[in-house]
Amino acid sequence: MAYSNKILFQCISLALVVLFGILSLEANGRILEDSIMHERHEKWMVQHGKYYKDSNEKELRFKIFKENVERIEAFNSDGNKSYKLGINQFADLTNDEFKGRNKFKGHMCSTITKTPTFRYENVSAVPPSIDWRQKGAVTPIKDQGQCGCCWAFSAVAATEGITKLTTGKLISLSEQELVDCDTKGVDQGCEGGLMDNAFKFIIQNKGLTTESNYPYTASDGTCNTKAESNHAASIKGFEDVPANSESALLKSVANQPVSVAIDASDFGFQFYSGGVFTGSCGTSLDHGVTAVGYGVSDDGTKYWLVKNSWGETWGEQGYIRMQRDIDAKQGLCGIAMQASYPTA
Ligand SMILES: *[C@@H]1O[C@H](CO)[C@@H](O)[C@H](O)[C@H]1NC(C)=O
């Protein structure tokens, strides 16, 4: 009895030693992991010029950063995904905070009266792919920063496109003019707006000035009427693409860059870094971007080529390829719900 007890005791103590060993290895591992993560956070802060007001804020942001990094890495370790996520400038924001940044006035769509004409309705042949960047009709990627004026960037990119196609000149145009001066209607600068209303403003104002003449400040300002009256480009009108038809959108994008509204609130959208985005997303339109082409990926997935306004550190150097021709008539993330383009 005593003998077997001793064996038992020895077994237990050995087991305890092993257990403690494992536990302390794990604890050590976790401390090491955390310090590596802290280092990554520090590097990321430098890379993106982030500062926090105090150590509490820093600790909170570190926790969010860590969670995001872990979720991104778990997603990327699944080899079956058609797109990748990356640690970008939004890595210290929760998905809710990120959603709060998108300020397209999608909830106002019902009040919009659609334009009756659609000039591309009888287009029968479209090329298998098009990239308006290769035709010199797309300016470099811009960054809206903290200001919720995606609608201005979307409308400006479409206006830059049609201007190039009709005049042969690619001119970077002013979003800030829209933010500061297009304030008498629905559009509210950094608080949100609609692309169609931006087109209306450009028509009524008889043009839009250049980016360099009226530079972007990422904040609401007083309208500089002198710069406002110095027109570099103009449009005659705008048309809405018939809603919920990717084929109507295709006919349009085959002919010019087109403003589109999307639901960009998903985690996958926040951290998209490349590939064809097929990700889960809804149709609560909260972001304005510009479709500047379409094509088919190497693995045969059809996509829309979309210019975003979140700088080049997001997506494929600022662009996203979004899956095209899906079953839902609204298109992925609602891309076919509320598209429009300026006419010249
Ligand atoms: C498309 O074709 C129909 C039938 O010929 C015609 O009535 C309509 O005006 C055309 N639409 C445009 C935008 O040219």
Side-chain angles (χ1 to χ4, degrees):
M1 200 59 167
Y3 182 69
S4 63
N5 264 349
K6 195 175 165 206
I7 295 208
L8 188 65
F9 179 71
Q10 276 180 341
C11 286
I12 289 172
S13 59
L14 186 63
L16 282 178
V17 167
V18 170
L19 187 65
F20 277 124
I22 290 171
L23 284 179
S24 73
L25 266 180
E26 248 191 45
N28 277 338
R30 216 169 295 137
I31 289 165
L32 185 65
E33 245 171 53
D34 252 21
S35 84
I36 292 172
M37 193 63 85
H38 271 293
E39 222 171 274
R40 288 176 76 176
H41 185 221
E42 295 283 348
K43 276 196 187 137
W44 175 88
M45 284 176 65
V46 172
Q47 194 186 343
H48 295 283
K50 298 270 175 178
Y51 299 94
Y52 301 120
K53 64 179 195 297
D54 54 35
S55 58
N56 283 347
E57 174 73 5
K58 189 171 175 186
E59 193 50 31
L60 170 74
R61 291 295 147 195
F62 168 74
K63 283 207 181 95
I64 297 166
F65 177 84
K66 181 170 183 273
E67 271 177 33
N68 282 334
V69 168
E70 284 167 356
R71 207 170 145 191
I72 288 165
E73 288 176 350
F75 178 92
N76 287 344
S77 66
D78 177 352
N80 293 325
K81 295 289 200 304
S82 64
Y83 62 102
K84 291 278 182 206
L85 305 183
I87 300 150
N88 58 23
Q89 70 266 38
F90 304 125
D92 69 346
L93 297 179
T94 65
N95 188 240
D96 277 342
E97 289 170 326
F98 172 75
K99 281 178 196 168
R101 296 168 40 98
N102 296 334
K103 293 282 175 57
F104 174 79
K105 290 198 175 293
H107 56 279
M108 291 185 161
C109 359
S110 52
T111 66
I112 294 174
T113 42
K114 293 274 172 196
T115 60
T117 51
F118 176 48
R119 66 182 49 203
Y120 301 124
E121 71 172 317
N122 295 332
V123 169
S124 52
V126 298
S129 70
I130 196 150
D131 183 343
W132 286 112
R133 296 175 301 186
Q134 288 169 3
K135 315 254 181 203
V138 184
T139 60
I141 288 289
K142 303 180 186 185
D143 190 350
Q144 69 185 80
Q146 293 286 337
C147 168
C149 61
C150 57
W151 57 276
F153 282 86
S154 169
V156 162
T159 304
E160 289 166 347
I162 193 67
T163 302
K164 162 70 186 178
L165 296 181
T166 52
T167 70
K169 279 182 278 188
L170 181 66
I171 309 161
S172 186
L173 299 171
S174 173
E175 291 80 16
Q176 195 63 43
E177 180 178 345
L178 292 170
V179 171
D180 292 353
C181 307
D182 176 17
T183 52
K184 296 195 176 71
V186 171
D187 295 339
Q188 290 159 20
C190 294
E191 310 325 307
L194 291 169
M195 285 78 91
D196 279 3
N197 287 50
F199 295 141
K200 270 182 210 160
F201 170 85
I202 299 170
I203 296 161
Q204 280 159 11
N205 190 53
K206 299 189 166 55
L208 195 63
T209 197
T210 61
E211 185 83 63
S212 57
N213 197 30
Y214 203 146
Y216 188 60
T217 65
S219 59
D220 292 304
T222 317
C223 182
N224 176 342
T225 50
K226 191 160 167 270
E228 184 194 26
S229 60
N230 185 347
H231 308 310
S234 62
I235 56 173
K236 288 207 181 76
F238 67 93
E239 292 177 0
D240 295 315
V241 178
N244 301 325
S245 165
E246 284 195 270
S247 78
L249 184 57
L250 186 72
K251 292 176 189 179
S252 310
V253 179
N255 283 282
Q256 67 180 97
V258 174
S259 288
V260 290
I262 55 172
D263 180 341
S265 63
D266 191 70
F267 182 86
F269 209 94
Q270 181 175 357
F271 294 111
Y272 165 81
S273 74
V276 177
F277 183 71
T278 55
S280 66
C281 49
T283 53
S284 302
L285 307 177
D286 66 355
H287 191 42
V289 288
T290 317
V292 296
Y294 59 83
V296 182
S297 74
D298 294 340
D299 73 356
T301 313
K302 293 181 186 174
Y303 64 82
W304 296 108
L305 174 65
V306 173
K307 185 189 194 193
N308 201 352
S309 51
W310 293 345
E312 290 188 12
T313 53
W314 180 89
E316 294 183 328
Q317 280 80 52
Y319 291 86
I320 180 171
R321 285 179 293 155
M322 295 173 64
Q323 192 180 11
R324 175 166 63 92
D325 278 352
I326 67 164
D327 290 340
K329 63 185 190 333
Q330 295 92 341
L332 190 71
C333 312
I335 194 168
M337 290 171 74
Q338 211 175 307
S340 59
Y341 51 84
T343 60

